[in-house]
Amino acid sequence: MTQWQGEARIRVVGRWGVLELAGEVDIAAVPEIEELLMRLMALGKPVVVVDLRAVTFFDCAILGVLYRARAGLLATGGGFEVLCARPWALKIMSMAGLLDVFRPVASLTDVADLDALDGARHGSPKA
């Protein structure tokens, strides 16, 4: 298998743990992204945000990683958000049947707005 050529960074923004991804994110990135998501969840933040805004390519292997992470977080009462507004990426999520599951937002401000809601986005997972 080839080495992953993308970039990843974990940061904490208030009550959110954020995983920022950049570049091409494909099957070669799966082990590292799974590890980073585990580290992020171990921080104990109630909401994990995966930021795909700087990603130039992703494949279904990554969508599977995100789907499993989301399911694990929702099962323990946590929240999971995806930042993504690129039309091509939204189309791939839609084709995979995950657009309505992830319901991506465009910015952390949008996540903050969702935080003010009654938790309906997180209370009834569509998994």
Side-chain angles (χ1 to χ4, degrees):
M1 188 178 308
T2 62
Q3 183 73 12
W4 178 42
Q5 300 299 312
E7 298 176 26
R9 177 175 81 141
I10 289 178
R11 65 187 182 112
V12 174
V13 179
R15 55 186 249 111
W16 312 308
V18 180
L19 174 58
E20 296 174 333
L21 300 174
E24 294 188 6
V25 185
D26 60 14
I27 194 166
V30 167
E32 183 174 346
I33 292 174
E34 286 176 333
E35 178 187 334
L36 290 168
L37 282 167
M38 294 298 288
R39 286 182 27 210
L40 191 55
M41 290 186 276
L43 294 175
K45 293 295 180 180
V47 179
V48 168
V49 178
V50 178
D51 186 346
L52 301 175
R53 293 176 296 178
V55 169
T56 58
F57 170 85
F58 64 78
D59 63 15
C60 289
I62 297 308
L63 292 178
V65 169
L66 299 181
Y67 183 84
R68 289 187 300 276
R70 176 187 174 274
L73 281 159
L74 294 179
T76 61
F80 184 85
E81 299 294 339
V82 174
L83 297 183
C84 181
R86 293 178 183 242
W88 66 265
L90 299 175
K91 184 173 183 175
I92 291 171
M93 287 182 204
S94 178
M95 291 171 57
L98 294 172
L99 189 61
D100 289 336
V101 173
F102 291 146
R103 294 186 271 189
V105 295
S107 71
L108 281 176
T109 303
D110 294 332
V111 175
D113 291 343
L114 294 173
D115 253 4
L117 298 176
D118 64 358
R121 279 179 58 97
H122 304 296
S124 57
K126 293 183 179 182

